Amino acid sequence: ESCGKFMLNGKEIEITQNRMASSVLEFAMFGNESTVAQLGAQIEEGSANARVLIEQTTDDKSKVLLEDLKTQTVSLFEVNDKIFELKRANKPLEAHINQSTELNESILTILSELVEIQEKSVAGTRAELDTRLSSTLLINLCFIIFSVIAGISIAYFINRSIVKPTQLVTGGLEEIANG
């Protein structure tokens, strides 16, 4: 379940990253200040998902990718802040938009790699769980069969130990009654 959650957070971060990139471009094009507020909410959402992702990361390759993601994200935030500053001052910002786009693409590539690593991990975990489940089912089936055989054997011996003496007593009583 945690692997599944890990993948979910990675995909959610990808979606949020795309939304943030759209918000930055929308602000750069139209100067709409409400997109800055949307961006703030998207950053919070992405940060929350990233924290979960970081907490769940166990393999070394993912840890390296997360460090790279952190570096790229900080750079992206700095570039986006510069875009906001330049747009508000009505200065050229095309170079920064290109840089923001490149950083965003790099971040999305890293996120895709993280999701791919986790999909492989989940597939391996599922295969391992399927193997364990099969073994457990086989053990349980053997235990049930053994229990049924043991129960029948015990019932047979109990039956013999009660019925045979009862028949002997009944036979003896019949002999006494017949005289």
Side-chain angles (χ1 to χ4, degrees):
E1 185 178 319
S2 67
C3 288
K5 181 76 171 161
F6 187 111
M7 281 183 16
L8 183 63
N9 284 327
K11 289 179 182 180
E12 286 175 356
I13 294 170
E14 281 182 309
I15 291 166
T16 302
Q17 186 65 33
N18 280 320
R19 286 184 189 144
M20 288 189 298
S22 296
S23 293
V24 170
L25 290 175
E26 182 179 337
F27 179 78
M29 290 171 51
F30 305 112
N32 185 352
E33 288 291 333
S34 68
T35 57
V36 176
Q38 289 174 351
L39 182 63
Q42 292 162 348
I43 289 170
E44 286 301 315
E45 179 185 347
S47 295
N49 285 324
R51 281 191 292 277
V52 172
L53 190 66
I54 289 166
E55 289 171 6
Q56 294 176 344
T57 300
T58 56
D59 66 288
D60 292 335
K61 185 174 181 180
S62 291
K63 288 179 182 180
V64 169
L65 286 170
L66 284 170
E67 282 302 315
D68 192 24
L69 178 66
K70 187 177 178 180
T71 303
Q72 296 288 327
T73 302
V74 169
S75 297
L76 179 64
F77 288 161
E78 290 170 356
V79 169
N80 287 345
D81 285 343
K82 189 68 174 174
I83 289 171
F84 297 146
E85 177 186 317
L86 292 171
K87 179 65 177 178
R88 288 179 180 127
N90 288 324
K91 293 185 178 178
L93 46 91
E94 290 174 12
H96 293 318
I97 289 175
N98 291 337
Q99 188 179 7
S100 177
T101 302
E102 289 172 8
L103 286 167
N104 192 58
E105 288 173 2
S106 174
I107 288 169
L108 289 172
T109 300
I110 293 168
L111 289 169
S112 294
E113 288 179 44
L114 284 168
V115 168
E116 183 180 323
I117 288 169
Q118 293 314 311
E119 285 173 345
K120 288 178 184 177
S121 176
V122 166
T125 302
R126 283 190 180 138
E128 182 181 327
L129 289 175
D130 286 345
T131 301
R132 286 184 183 178
L133 180 62
S134 296
S135 298
T136 302
L137 289 174
L138 183 60
I139 290 169
N140 286 341
L141 182 62
C142 290
F143 180 74
I144 289 169
I145 291 171
F146 174 76
S147 296
V148 168
I149 291 171
I152 291 172
S153 298
I154 291 170
Y156 174 76
F157 288 114
I158 288 175
N159 185 32
R160 279 191 51 178
S161 66
I162 292 174
V163 171
K164 193 169 187 175
T166 304
Q167 286 176 342
L168 288 174
V169 169
T170 305
L173 289 174
E174 283 179 4
E175 279 182 34
I176 292 174
N178 290 337

